[in-house]
Amino acid sequence: TYPATLVSLRGGYARGVGMGPAGDPLPDRMLLAAVVETPEGDLFPQLHGPAALVAAQREAFVAFIEGLAPVEVPEPEQPEPE
């Protein structure tokens, strides 16, 4: 398990693309986000949507964050020279 910080925000949400306009805010939205510190760099997983749906998935989101762990990748086998 890696060190992580969890943030939860709730309110209206409007998002644009790049520097474009954000559009009308959607009411009653929720954002769960984490900063997960790994030796290879930080990860920023996010879950956002209608507040009731996101709140219902909070436990699963936290379990996902807690389940992040390094994976050992075996070295590829080298063919023997002929």
Side-chain angles (χ1 to χ4, degrees):
T1 304
Y2 297 115
T5 301
L6 181 66
V7 175
S8 176
L9 302 171
R10 187 174 181 160
Y13 180 74
R15 180 175 186 169
V17 177
M19 296 298 290
D24 295 331
L26 300 170
D28 199 27
R29 298 291 159 165
M30 187 171 195
L31 167 67
L32 290 178
V35 178
V36 183
E37 302 171 42
T38 78
E40 293 81 23
D42 294 340
L43 300 174
F44 303 95
Q46 300 177 18
L47 175 62
H48 53 88
L53 294 176
V54 174
Q57 295 302 316
R58 186 181 195 286
E59 187 176 324
F61 184 78
V62 170
F64 167 74
I65 300 301
E66 290 175 342
L68 293 173
V71 175
E72 187 173 322
V73 179
E75 291 290 325
E77 292 185 27
Q78 299 294 323
E80 292 187 29
E82 294 182 18

